[in-house]
Amino acid sequence: MANNTADHPPGNSVADGNQEGDFGITVMDLRDLMELRSGEAVTKIADSYGDVQGLCRRLKTSPIEGLSGNPVDLEKRHTAFGKNFIPPKKPKSFLALVWEALQDVTLIILEIAAVISLGLSFYHPPGGDSELCGETASGVEDEGEAQAGWIEGAAILFSVAIVVLVTAFNDWSKEKQFRGLQSRIEQEQKFTVIRKGQVIQIPVSELVTGDIAQIKYGDLLPADGILIQGNDLKIDESSLTGESDQVRKSLEKDPMLLSGTHVMEGSGRMVVSAVGLNSQTGIIFTLLGAGDGDEEKKIKKGKRWGDDKCESKSTRAMTQDGIALEIQPLKSEVESEEKEPEVEVKQVKRVQITKKEKSVLQGKLTKLAVLIGKAGLIMSAVTVVILILYFVIDTFGVQGRPWLKECTPIYIQYFVKFFIIGVTVLVVAVPEGLPLAVTISLAYSVKKMMKDNNLVRHLDACETMGNATTICSDKTGTLTMNRMTVVQAYLGDTHYKKVPEPDVIKPSTLEVLVNSIAINSAYTTKILSPAKEGGLPRHVGNKTECSLLGFVLELKRDYQPIRDEIPEEKLYKVYTFNSSRKSMSTVLKNTDGSGFRMYSKGASEIVLRKCSRILDTNGEPRIFKPKDRDEMVKVVIEPMACDGLRTICVAYRDFPAEAGEPNWDNEADILNELTCICVVGIEDPVRPEVPDAILKCQRAGITVRMVTGDNINTARAIATKCGILLPGEDFLCLEGKEFNQLIRNDQGEVEQERLDKVWPKLRVLARSSPTDKHTLVKGIMDSTVLETRQVVAVTGDGTNDGPALKKADVGFAMGIAGTDVAKEASDIILTDDNFTSIVKAVMWGRNVYDSISKFLQFQLTVNVVAVIVAFTGACITQVTHLPKLTWGCFHFLPLQSFSISLPSCFYLFYISII
């Protein structure tokens, strides 16, 4: 694109005035603009700014020269539009984690009991004449026991301290591990910009709104921008939208470039329009609470990060967009769309707290602790009442003694001691070994889970996963390998259900096939050696072309020598792939000057219609008539499609020298009369270990559901191969649009009653937006159609998965392919991006649950017997020597064994009493 710098001066001088007056556009104008897509964005730019050049003039930047780099100007831009920095969620301090651990109900009961016991152990009232005041002095403990009375309370406080410190240290160390993982993944990234007409690289944190950035294949966009000039630019937006297909960007149709997306093909220049918290990734980070502190400061100062108009547009943005719709599920519980932003931030926080407040096991243990506390309190109260009544009746009734003034301290001493005995019964009733057992079990499991590629960020996520009843999984990268691969081929009149051996293919056919694929692909598309020994080869560039290059390698041939012999500059003519052609063609001039050869590839339904010949078994071209094509579609193409394969046709055409040079601009004539070499079926293959893993889940009572942005046919085929869909099963496979029609009323609101009719049978949700995923997860968790509440685990790798990951009981983020937003919202990070690691997490969670259940059975047996012995002993003898001995023995036993049988408990009690 040619631009005149005179028409578009750099405009780097900043006029005096208020911040909004410094530029012809505000941060909210840019946020509104970046929420639009495709034709809407083009129309908005044309109506409001004339064109992208007009937008550059508003931002006081030159599309050619870029910014001047003047520090004053850069500071003005920072002030007006923000810095390109998303503050990470502030990690909790160790003391904060200690305080959180202290909130456990069981520990609170223990703390109160310990403090009372410790305080009363130091109470020594003045003595009196025992003979004069009565003969029940046996209720007062001897001197030796009185001196050791403090041990009871101190021991309980010590055990509480151990539990709290172990829990806090585990959470702190895992958070530190997570931050370390992030820092390793996020190496110092630089980006190419134009300043003062010079192409320079700067840290991404120094990017400002108005910068002119150069983008090329392989770049991860660090900020939002609008395309100024592009060359066959294709962007992978799956991290934001969940769509696996690459999006072609152009000034005429879709110039919007979003942060967090990858450049897969081509190059170009963009003007940076939004940075940091104002970019699309930053907005989602803010909604997920990553920028809570910064958000609150802005609200307190009265500076609104978003307005109602902006947010209402977000919720009404295109349903398959997946970026603006991130806001909707987080706002769905707010009654009015016209709420102030501060209400929305509070709402997001409330959702987060509700989710993380208690795990399943924590909830059950808390109820148990309360019940035990109530039972212990009743028993201790009954003990005190019985002891007091016994003392009063025996002293003043049976013995007939009067209440003497000088005996009052002695009587008070008796009453205090009775209260101490009651507290002892209460302390015996509370299983102080239980929190320590739970914490140690979880800590041990978390350590072991790390070896199984599960980085647990929250300790309770381990045992929560053991209760999981539903897993909502992504397809790409989790169930599949995220590597497009040729799995079937029709070659030489033969349909191969797997890649054929090269020796069964005619050498002439093999030669033209390899040359066609090697030359008629972007030279930036390559298959590189594995990053580490034993790993899979790395696919770089277009995924479809990588699958074809992989096909060449499986045929024991190498594409690189052919490319070295025919470099890009020797390509005579290239017809790049576009949505109208649905094919790519490359023309070569023959080395002997005897004309031209054109190689073509593309969607089989398009390319086959342009083929008039096909290579037969002997590698010779034969006539390919329309009826032959129809037969091939019926016998080859449709069966491949039923298997969920994408079909690609590879063809060629020779232009003889005697016919002269063709008119290359007449595509209708050029892309015709082709000779079909082969038709291949490609797919993203299922990970080999996934079907067995899903079968294990189903046997364990866990329902696996696939939620993907892919089309329904591919999703159904992959789900069948994985074992998610079983023959004869009554299941539902829905697209996002149909799903919403079933669950929403006429006003577009989700109704739980409608959702309850859909989700129990739903197994595959295709063409789903982020809102659909969040709605499904929330609906399953809130459902009451089943007897027990469903515990939902969710996997995700993209920014669009953030709300669903945060909402779910357990969120699994991908450690390799996952975005920062996904990892921040997750509870467990899969360091190998593999579904089988989720199964291992379930196994460890159930192991923890079973271990704690066994210990609980033992602990309660001990406590019930101890309370009975303490109660009866205190009531009969008015002393606590034997109950204390019993209690002491049995509260040390949990440290030795988790599985002492009931008879052993009674036997040990008998021994302790003797």
Side-chain angles (χ1 to χ4, degrees):
M1 176 183 293
N3 293 306
N4 190 337
T5 55
D7 294 336
H8 311 291
N12 291 325
S13 59
V14 182
D16 295 332
N18 60 39
Q19 292 176 9
E20 292 189 355
D22 291 339
F23 301 96
I25 190 170
T26 66
V27 65
M28 289 314 306
D29 291 336
L30 290 171
R31 279 182 58 153
D32 283 342
L33 178 61
M34 293 310 299
E35 285 170 2
L36 303 177
R37 302 288 173 266
S38 306
E40 289 186 3
V42 174
T43 303
K44 175 68 175 177
I45 292 172
D47 292 346
S48 301
Y49 313 108
D51 54 14
V52 180
Q53 315 299 330
L55 180 62
C56 289
R57 284 194 290 272
R58 296 280 190 97
L59 289 171
K60 299 189 176 181
T61 185
S62 165
I64 302 298
E65 300 290 327
L67 298 178
S68 67
N70 183 345
V72 177
D73 178 40
L74 297 180
E75 186 58 35
K76 287 275 188 180
R77 293 175 187 274
H78 285 155
T79 304
F81 304 109
K83 295 184 178 181
N84 195 31
F85 172 70
I86 299 175
K89 191 172 182 179
K90 187 177 179 182
K92 292 178 181 177
S93 66
F94 185 76
L95 290 178
L97 294 172
V98 167
W99 177 251
E100 279 188 5
L102 283 169
Q103 307 305 307
D104 186 83
V105 175
T106 309
L107 294 182
I108 291 173
I109 294 173
L110 284 172
E111 291 159 13
I112 295 171
V115 170
I116 294 174
S117 177
L118 195 61
L120 293 178
S121 68
F122 294 107
Y123 176 77
H124 301 293
D129 188 346
S130 296
E131 293 183 2
L132 184 65
C133 298
E135 299 297 330
T136 47
S138 59
V140 183
E141 62 189 11
D142 58 34
E143 184 179 354
E145 187 172 351
Q147 291 178 350
W150 62 271
I151 295 177
E152 192 167 79
I156 297 175
L157 287 177
F158 180 70
S159 68
V160 169
I162 292 176
V163 171
V164 169
L165 291 175
V166 169
T167 303
F169 180 76
N170 265 283
D171 287 344
W172 178 77
S173 62
K174 294 307 169 187
E175 187 67 17
K176 188 177 180 183
Q177 261 185 313
F178 169 68
R179 300 296 171 184
L181 177 68
Q182 287 295 82
S183 64
R184 288 196 302 271
I185 293 173
E186 301 169 1
Q187 298 297 333
E188 185 65 31
Q189 183 189 358
K190 293 193 174 182
F191 209 67
T192 304
V193 299
I194 301 173
R195 288 187 178 175
K196 285 187 179 178
Q198 300 295 317
V199 178
I200 60 172
Q201 283 198 330
I202 62 172
V204 293
S205 58
E206 295 182 11
L207 276 174
V208 295
T209 301
D211 256 325
I212 305 300
Q214 287 191 346
I215 53 178
K216 63 184 184 305
Y217 158 75
D219 283 342
L220 172 66
L221 299 185
D224 292 352
I226 299 172
L227 189 66
I228 297 176
Q229 176 266 329
N231 299 314
D232 293 329
L233 194 63
K234 286 185 181 179
I235 304 293
D236 178 6
E237 295 185 348
S238 60
S239 64
L240 283 176
T241 66
E243 292 285 350
S244 57
D245 293 337
Q246 295 169 15
V247 181
R248 179 175 290 276
K249 298 292 180 178
S250 64
L251 273 72
E252 297 78 17
K253 292 185 178 180
D254 187 0
M256 314 307 283
L257 303 173
L258 308 174
S259 58
T261 59
H262 286 84
V263 181
M264 301 306 292
E265 287 185 29
S267 60
R269 283 181 294 126
M270 72 173 186
V271 55
V272 176
S273 57
V275 295
L277 289 171
N278 292 304
S279 66
Q280 293 300 307
T281 299
I283 290 170
I284 298 172
F285 252 113
T286 303
L287 288 172
L288 293 175
D292 280 348
D294 195 82
E295 185 80 6
E296 288 171 356
K297 290 178 185 176
K298 290 290 180 184
I299 292 169
K300 288 177 182 177
K301 291 179 182 178
K303 295 181 180 178
R304 297 172 59 185
W305 280 97
D307 59 12
D308 300 328
K309 179 182 177 182
C310 170
E311 290 172 0
S312 62
K313 283 183 180 179
S314 300
T315 61
R316 293 193 297 267
M318 294 172 293
T319 57
Q320 293 299 327
D321 172 41
I323 301 167
L325 283 176
E326 289 289 330
I327 300 173
Q328 184 176 342
L330 296 175
K331 290 185 65 181
S332 62
E333 297 175 13
V334 183
E335 294 178 0
S336 173
E337 227 179 20
E338 304 301 319
K339 296 283 185 183
E340 289 295 313
E342 40 269 65
V343 175
E344 182 187 348
V345 173
K346 291 177 183 176
Q347 179 67 18
V348 174
K349 288 183 179 178
R350 192 173 81 239
V351 171
Q352 180 183 0
I353 292 171
T354 303
K355 179 208 164 185
K356 301 299 178 188
E357 189 174 2
K358 279 191 180 76
S359 67
V360 177
L361 182 62
Q362 281 178 325
K364 291 181 178 179
L365 290 179
T366 298
K367 290 180 182 177
L368 180 64
V370 172
L371 286 175
I372 291 173
K374 290 179 179 178
L377 195 61
I378 292 171
M379 290 296 291
S380 63
V382 170
T383 303
V384 172
V385 170
I386 289 175
L387 289 174
I388 291 175
L389 288 175
Y390 181 86
F391 173 79
V392 171
I393 292 171
D394 182 64
T395 303
F396 303 111
V398 177
Q399 299 180 30
R401 295 178 180 275
W403 184 293
L404 301 176
K405 186 176 182 181
E406 58 269 24
C407 290
T408 300
I410 298 297
Y411 296 151
I412 292 175
Q413 183 182 11
Y414 288 149
F415 294 147
V416 169
K417 183 54 190 174
F418 296 153
F419 179 71
I420 293 175
I421 293 173
V423 171
T424 301
V425 174
L426 174 61
V427 170
V428 169
V430 179
E432 66 273 13
L434 182 58
L436 185 59
V438 173
T439 302
I440 291 174
S441 298
L442 289 175
Y444 176 78
S445 297
V446 165
K447 184 178 180 182
K448 289 292 185 181
M449 286 174 69
M450 189 62 194
K451 295 181 180 178
D452 285 336
N453 302 306
N454 285 270
L455 173 59
V456 181
R457 296 189 59 213
H458 305 115
L459 204 60
D460 61 347
C462 171
E463 50 88 3
T464 303
M465 197 58 211
N467 293 276
T469 57
T470 292
I471 298 175
C472 295
S473 175
D474 269 349
K475 176 181 75 70
T476 305
T478 308
L479 300 176
T480 63
M481 300 176 69
N482 196 19
R483 300 164 64 85
M484 297 303 291
T485 306
V486 173
V487 293
Q488 294 186 29
Y490 181 82
L491 187 63
D493 290 337
T494 306
H495 187 179
Y496 297 95
K497 293 292 186 178
K498 61 180 182 179
V499 176
E501 294 295 326
D503 52 8
V504 304
I505 305 173
K506 281 290 181 181
S508 58
T509 302
L510 185 60
E511 187 71 22
V512 69
L513 173 62
V514 172
N515 285 341
S516 177
I517 293 174
I519 295 169
N520 189 36
S521 299
Y523 278 31
T524 53
T525 301
K526 301 176 182 179
I527 296 182
L528 304 178
S529 57
K532 58 182 179 180
E533 189 175 351
L536 294 171
R538 290 174 292 159
H539 285 190
V540 178
N542 184 280
K543 294 178 181 179
T544 301
E545 291 182 346
C546 281
S547 70
L548 294 173
L549 294 179
F551 182 45
V552 169
L553 297 178
E554 286 195 66
L555 293 173
K556 308 295 190 293
R557 301 295 294 270
D558 191 359
Y559 62 86
Q560 194 56 49
I562 300 173
R563 290 182 171 182
D564 293 340
E565 184 181 346
I566 307 174
E568 281 188 278
E569 53 267 23
K570 286 190 178 181
L571 303 181
Y572 194 81
K573 175 73 175 177
V574 176
Y575 297 93
T576 58
F577 182 92
N578 61 34
S579 56
S580 58
R581 287 194 193 109
K582 290 192 176 179
S583 66
M584 174 183 179
S585 302
T586 302
V587 180
L588 291 177
K589 191 168 186 178
N590 294 332
T591 53
D592 57 2
S594 58
F596 303 88
R597 170 167 282 193
M598 179 180 71
Y599 295 112
S600 295
K601 72 172 187 297
S604 58
E605 66 273 15
I606 301 296
V607 177
L608 278 178
R609 283 202 296 264
K610 299 176 180 179
C611 291
S612 59
R613 294 176 179 81
I614 187 170
L615 296 182
D616 61 16
T617 309
N618 299 317
E620 298 294 331
R622 64 173 170 82
I623 299 298
F624 188 64
K625 297 180 180 179
K627 65 175 183 178
D628 298 325
R629 182 177 65 246
D630 295 340
E631 180 68 17
M632 187 172 177
V633 168
K634 183 179 179 181
V635 175
V636 179
I637 307 298
E638 289 182 356
M640 285 186 178
C642 290
D643 289 337
L645 306 183
R646 181 186 299 176
T647 53
I648 304 293
C649 180
V650 181
Y652 75 97
R653 179 183 179 183
D654 285 322
F655 297 91
E658 55 269 18
E661 183 167 351
N663 178 12
W664 302 113
D665 293 331
N666 188 352
E667 287 189 33
D669 289 339
I670 298 298
L671 302 179
N672 206 354
E673 299 295 324
L674 302 176
T675 301
C676 175
I677 304 172
C678 74
V679 174
V680 297
I682 65 174
E683 70 169 356
D684 185 2
V686 173
R687 289 178 180 267
E689 64 275 11
V690 163
D692 286 341
I694 289 179
L695 183 60
K696 287 180 181 178
C697 287
Q698 291 168 342
R699 286 175 177 171
I702 301 172
T703 302
V704 180
R705 294 178 170 85
M706 179 196 292
V707 183
T708 177
D710 220 329
N711 68 73
I712 187 73
N713 293 326
T714 302
R716 185 185 285 111
I718 294 296
T720 303
K721 291 177 182 178
C722 291
I724 294 175
L725 299 180
L726 301 175
E729 187 185 35
D730 186 16
F731 58 79
L732 284 177
C733 291
L734 300 176
E735 288 191 342
K737 186 176 181 181
E738 187 180 359
F739 175 71
N740 279 287
Q741 289 174 349
L742 292 173
I743 66 171
R744 296 181 185 273
N745 58 23
D746 296 337
Q747 288 74 40
E749 299 169 344
V750 177
E751 291 186 355
Q752 186 65 43
E753 295 79 12
R754 292 179 178 231
L755 189 57
D756 287 342
K757 295 177 182 178
V758 175
W759 74 259
K761 292 185 179 181
L762 183 66
R763 293 295 180 271
V764 176
L765 183 58
R767 289 294 182 198
S768 60
S769 70
T771 306
D772 298 334
K773 191 169 187 177
H774 183 278
T775 302
L776 176 62
V777 171
K778 183 177 182 298
I780 295 175
M781 292 173 65
D782 293 345
S783 177
T784 57
V785 293
L786 300 181
E787 291 182 2
T788 57
R789 181 232 192 236
Q790 295 290 290
V791 180
V792 183
V794 170
T795 69
D797 58 0
T799 301
N800 61 311
D801 296 317
L805 287 169
K806 205 166 192 69
K807 178 65 182 174
D809 293 291
V810 181
F812 287 88
M814 303 299 133
I816 300 172
T819 61
D820 294 344
V821 173
K823 292 173 187 174
E824 190 68 47
S826 67
D827 302 291
I828 299 175
I829 296 175
L830 301 177
T831 56
D832 63 346
D833 290 13
N834 198 330
F835 186 84
T836 54
S837 297
I838 301 175
V839 178
K840 291 176 183 176
V842 175
M843 292 170 63
W844 276 111
R846 293 194 174 189
N847 179 65
V848 168
Y849 206 83
D850 290 343
S851 299
I852 292 172
S853 297
K854 290 176 183 177
F855 174 74
L856 191 59
Q857 182 182 7
F858 160 73
Q859 180 77 71
L860 291 183
T861 302
V862 171
N863 282 83
V864 168
V865 176
V867 168
I868 293 172
V869 173
F871 172 74
T872 55
C875 292
I876 294 171
T877 66
Q878 293 187 308
V879 295
T880 55
H881 294 75
L882 297 180
K884 282 189 177 181
L885 174 60
T886 305
W887 174 78
C889 292
F890 272 83
H891 283 77
F892 278 97
L893 283 173
L895 301 178
Q896 306 297 326
S897 171
F898 282 92
S899 57
I900 296 180
S901 64
L902 190 62
S904 300
C905 293
F906 283 104
Y907 177 74
L908 286 171
F909 267 103
Y910 174 73
I911 294 298
S912 65
I913 292 173
I914 292 176

